[in-house]
PDB file of all heavy atoms in Angstrom:
ATOM      1  N   GLU A 261     152.629 -43.499 238.143  1.00 98.00           N
ATOM      2  CA  GLU A 261     152.177 -44.864 237.830  1.00 98.00           C
ATOM      3  C   GLU A 261     151.516 -45.524 239.042  1.00 98.00           C
ATOM      4  O   GLU A 261     150.518 -46.225 238.915  1.00 98.00           O
ATOM      5  CB  GLU A 261     153.349 -45.714 237.326  1.00 98.00           C
ATOM      6  CG  GLU A 261     153.713 -45.376 235.871  1.00 98.00           C
ATOM      7  CD  GLU A 261     154.998 -46.036 235.394  1.00 98.00           C
ATOM      8  OE1 GLU A 261     155.707 -46.659 236.241  1.00 98.00           O
ATOM      9  OE2 GLU A 261     155.300 -45.914 234.194  1.00 98.00           O
ATOM     10  N   GLN A 262     152.080 -45.279 240.234  1.00 98.00           N
ATOM     11  CA  GLN A 262     151.485 -45.855 241.441  1.00 98.00           C
ATOM     12  C   GLN A 262     150.099 -45.247 241.696  1.00 98.00           C
ATOM     13  O   GLN A 262     149.155 -45.956 242.050  1.00 98.00           O
ATOM     14  CB  GLN A 262     152.399 -45.617 242.646  1.00 98.00           C
ATOM     15  CG  GLN A 262     151.979 -46.436 243.846  1.00 98.00           C
ATOM     16  CD  GLN A 262     152.988 -46.356 244.981  1.00 98.00           C
ATOM     17  OE1 GLN A 262     154.161 -46.088 244.755  1.00 98.00           O
ATOM     18  NE2 GLN A 262     152.542 -46.577 246.194  1.00 98.00           N
ATOM     19  N   ALA A 263     149.976 -43.934 241.506  1.00 98.00           N
ATOM     20  CA  ALA A 263     148.671 -43.266 241.690  1.00 98.00           C
ATOM     21  C   ALA A 263     147.652 -43.823 240.689  1.00 98.00           C
ATOM     22  O   ALA A 263     146.489 -44.060 241.024  1.00 98.00           O
ATOM     23  CB  ALA A 263     148.827 -41.757 241.515  1.00 98.00           C
ATOM     24  N   HIS A 264     148.105 -44.073 239.464  1.00 98.00           N
ATOM     25  CA  HIS A 264     147.228 -44.602 238.416  1.00 98.00           C
ATOM     26  C   HIS A 264     146.735 -46.006 238.777  1.00 98.00           C
ATOM     27  O   HIS A 264     145.557 -46.336 238.608  1.00 98.00           O
ATOM     28  CB  HIS A 264     147.985 -44.636 237.081  1.00 98.00           C
ATOM     29  CG  HIS A 264     147.165 -45.127 235.934  1.00 98.00           C
ATOM     30  ND1 HIS A 264     147.255 -46.422 235.467  1.00 98.00           N
ATOM     31  CD2 HIS A 264     146.216 -44.511 235.180  1.00 98.00           C
ATOM     32  CE1 HIS A 264     146.405 -46.580 234.461  1.00 98.00           C
ATOM     33  NE2 HIS A 264     145.765 -45.434 234.272  1.00 98.00           N
ATOM     34  N   GLU A 265     147.648 -46.813 239.316  1.00 98.00           N
ATOM     35  CA  GLU A 265     147.276 -48.178 239.720  1.00 98.00           C
ATOM     36  C   GLU A 265     146.244 -48.141 240.846  1.00 98.00           C
ATOM     37  O   GLU A 265     145.239 -48.851 240.816  1.00 98.00           O
ATOM     38  CB  GLU A 265     148.548 -48.891 240.200  1.00 98.00           C
ATOM     39  CG  GLU A 265     148.514 -50.396 240.020  1.00 98.00           C
ATOM     40  CD  GLU A 265     149.880 -51.011 240.284  1.00 98.00           C
ATOM     41  OE1 GLU A 265     150.828 -50.732 239.521  1.00 98.00           O
ATOM     42  OE2 GLU A 265     149.989 -51.742 241.288  1.00 98.00           O
ATOM     43  N   LEU A 266     146.497 -47.294 241.851  1.00 98.00           N
ATOM     44  CA  LEU A 266     145.572 -47.189 242.993  1.00 98.00           C
ATOM     45  C   LEU A 266     144.217 -46.629 242.565  1.00 98.00           C
ATOM     46  O   LEU A 266     143.182 -46.969 243.145  1.00 98.00           O
ATOM     47  CB  LEU A 266     146.196 -46.291 244.077  1.00 98.00           C
ATOM     48  CG  LEU A 266     147.416 -46.871 244.797  1.00 98.00           C
ATOM     49  CD1 LEU A 266     148.119 -45.790 245.615  1.00 98.00           C
ATOM     50  CD2 LEU A 266     147.017 -48.043 245.692  1.00 98.00           C
ATOM     51  N   ALA A 267     144.230 -45.787 241.538  1.00 98.00           N
ATOM     52  CA  ALA A 267     142.979 -45.165 241.065  1.00 98.00           C
ATOM     53  C   ALA A 267     141.962 -46.218 240.629  1.00 98.00           C
ATOM     54  O   ALA A 267     140.752 -46.002 240.719  1.00 98.00           O
ATOM     55  CB  ALA A 267     143.283 -44.212 239.906  1.00 98.00           C
ATOM     56  N   TYR A 268     142.466 -47.366 240.158  1.00 98.00           N
ATOM     57  CA  TYR A 268     141.572 -48.407 239.641  1.00 98.00           C
ATOM     58  C   TYR A 268     141.413 -49.587 240.602  1.00 98.00           C
ATOM     59  O   TYR A 268     140.888 -50.629 240.225  1.00 98.00           O
ATOM     60  CB  TYR A 268     142.082 -48.892 238.273  1.00 98.00           C
ATOM     61  CG  TYR A 268     141.874 -47.845 237.209  1.00 98.00           C
ATOM     62  CD1 TYR A 268     142.876 -46.920 236.920  1.00 98.00           C
ATOM     63  CD2 TYR A 268     140.666 -47.741 236.521  1.00 98.00           C
ATOM     64  CE1 TYR A 268     142.688 -45.921 235.968  1.00 98.00           C
ATOM     65  CE2 TYR A 268     140.465 -46.755 235.573  1.00 98.00           C
ATOM     66  CZ  TYR A 268     141.473 -45.846 235.296  1.00 98.00           C
ATOM     67  OH  TYR A 268     141.268 -44.854 234.360  1.00 98.00           O
ATOM     68  N   ASP A 269     141.858 -49.411 241.849  1.00 98.00           N
ATOM     69  CA  ASP A 269     141.712 -50.465 242.857  1.00 98.00           C
ATOM     70  C   ASP A 269     140.386 -50.268 243.599  1.00 98.00           C
ATOM     71  O   ASP A 269     140.231 -49.305 244.350  1.00 98.00           O
ATOM     72  CB  ASP A 269     142.892 -50.399 243.840  1.00 98.00           C
ATOM     73  CG  ASP A 269     142.846 -51.503 244.890  1.00 98.00           C
ATOM     74  OD1 ASP A 269     141.769 -52.111 245.078  1.00 98.00           O
ATOM     75  OD2 ASP A 269     143.882 -51.749 245.525  1.00 98.00           O
ATOM     76  N   PRO A 270     139.403 -51.179 243.387  1.00 97.00           N
ATOM     77  CA  PRO A 270     138.066 -50.971 243.970  1.00 97.00           C
ATOM     78  C   PRO A 270     138.021 -51.134 245.491  1.00 97.00           C
ATOM     79  O   PRO A 270     137.077 -50.680 246.143  1.00 97.00           O
ATOM     80  CB  PRO A 270     137.209 -52.044 243.292  1.00 97.00           C
ATOM     81  CG  PRO A 270     138.177 -53.110 242.876  1.00 97.00           C
ATOM     82  CD  PRO A 270     139.478 -52.412 242.583  1.00 97.00           C
ATOM     83  N   ASN A 271     139.048 -51.777 246.070  1.00 96.00           N
ATOM     84  CA  ASN A 271     139.023 -52.040 247.514  1.00 96.00           C
ATOM     85  C   ASN A 271     139.914 -51.112 248.326  1.00 96.00           C
ATOM     86  O   ASN A 271     139.978 -51.210 249.544  1.00 96.00           O
ATOM     87  CB  ASN A 271     139.440 -53.499 247.780  1.00 96.00           C
ATOM     88  CG  ASN A 271     138.493 -54.467 247.105  1.00 96.00           C
ATOM     89  OD1 ASN A 271     137.288 -54.336 247.242  1.00 96.00           O
ATOM     90  ND2 ASN A 271     139.043 -55.408 246.344  1.00 96.00           N
ATOM     91  N   TYR A 272     140.598 -50.210 247.631  1.00 97.00           N
ATOM     92  CA  TYR A 272     141.546 -49.322 248.303  1.00 97.00           C
ATOM     93  C   TYR A 272     140.803 -48.129 248.914  1.00 97.00           C
ATOM     94  O   TYR A 272     139.920 -47.551 248.285  1.00 97.00           O
ATOM     95  CB  TYR A 272     142.581 -48.859 247.264  1.00 97.00           C
ATOM     96  CG  TYR A 272     143.450 -47.701 247.670  1.00 97.00           C
ATOM     97  CD1 TYR A 272     144.277 -47.777 248.786  1.00 97.00           C
ATOM     98  CD2 TYR A 272     143.469 -46.534 246.912  1.00 97.00           C
ATOM     99  CE1 TYR A 272     145.097 -46.712 249.136  1.00 97.00           C
ATOM    100  CE2 TYR A 272     144.281 -45.462 247.255  1.00 97.00           C
ATOM    101  CZ  TYR A 272     145.093 -45.563 248.373  1.00 97.00           C
ATOM    102  OH  TYR A 272     145.884 -44.517 248.710  1.00 97.00           O
ATOM    103  N   MET A 273     141.134 -47.795 250.165  1.00 97.00           N
ATOM    104  CA  MET A 273     140.494 -46.637 250.796  1.00 97.00           C
ATOM    105  C   MET A 273     141.343 -45.402 250.459  1.00 97.00           C
ATOM    106  O   MET A 273     142.278 -45.048 251.180  1.00 97.00           O
ATOM    107  CB  MET A 273     140.398 -46.833 252.310  1.00 97.00           C
ATOM    108  CG  MET A 273     139.350 -45.966 252.953  1.00 97.00           C
ATOM    109  SD  MET A 273     137.682 -46.298 252.285  1.00 97.00           S
ATOM    110  CE  MET A 273     136.764 -45.001 253.060  1.00 97.00           C
ATOM    111  N   SER A 274     141.039 -44.776 249.338  1.00 97.00           N
ATOM    112  CA  SER A 274     141.830 -43.642 248.859  1.00 97.00           C
ATOM    113  C   SER A 274     141.512 -42.375 249.651  1.00 97.00           C
ATOM    114  O   SER A 274     140.461 -42.290 250.302  1.00 97.00           O
ATOM    115  CB  SER A 274     141.522 -43.392 247.375  1.00 97.00           C
ATOM    116  OG  SER A 274     140.157 -43.029 247.232  1.00 97.00           O
ATOM    117  N   PRO A 275     142.401 -41.373 249.598  1.00 97.00           N
ATOM    118  CA  PRO A 275     142.064 -40.086 250.224  1.00 97.00           C
ATOM    119  C   PRO A 275     140.728 -39.541 249.703  1.00 97.00           C
ATOM    120  O   PRO A 275     139.949 -38.965 250.472  1.00 97.00           O
ATOM    121  CB  PRO A 275     143.235 -39.183 249.812  1.00 97.00           C
ATOM    122  CG  PRO A 275     144.386 -40.119 249.630  1.00 97.00           C
ATOM    123  CD  PRO A 275     143.786 -41.384 249.063  1.00 97.00           C
ATOM    124  N   PHE A 276     140.452 -39.751 248.403  1.00 97.00           N
ATOM    125  CA  PHE A 276     139.178 -39.283 247.843  1.00 97.00           C
ATOM    126  C   PHE A 276     137.999 -40.006 248.489  1.00 97.00           C
ATOM    127  O   PHE A 276     136.997 -39.376 248.859  1.00 97.00           O
ATOM    128  CB  PHE A 276     139.150 -39.510 246.327  1.00 97.00           C
ATOM    129  CG  PHE A 276     137.845 -39.107 245.685  1.00 97.00           C
ATOM    130  CD1 PHE A 276     137.580 -37.772 245.396  1.00 97.00           C
ATOM    131  CD2 PHE A 276     136.872 -40.052 245.385  1.00 97.00           C
ATOM    132  CE1 PHE A 276     136.371 -37.385 244.819  1.00 97.00           C
ATOM    133  CE2 PHE A 276     135.659 -39.674 244.809  1.00 97.00           C
ATOM    134  CZ  PHE A 276     135.421 -38.340 244.523  1.00 97.00           C
ATOM    135  N   ALA A 277     138.118 -41.342 248.654  1.00 97.00           N
ATOM    136  CA  ALA A 277     137.031 -42.121 249.267  1.00 97.00           C
ATOM    137  C   ALA A 277     136.821 -41.693 250.723  1.00 97.00           C
ATOM    138  O   ALA A 277     135.689 -41.581 251.195  1.00 97.00           O
ATOM    139  CB  ALA A 277     137.352 -43.610 249.185  1.00 97.00           C
TER     140      ALA A 277
END
Side-chain angles (χ1 to χ4, degrees):
E261 284 171 353
Q262 192 172 335
H264 182 260
E265 208 170 295
L266 291 168
Y268 289 92
D269 182 343
N271 300 311
Y272 166 60
M273 201 60 187
S274 63
F276 178 80

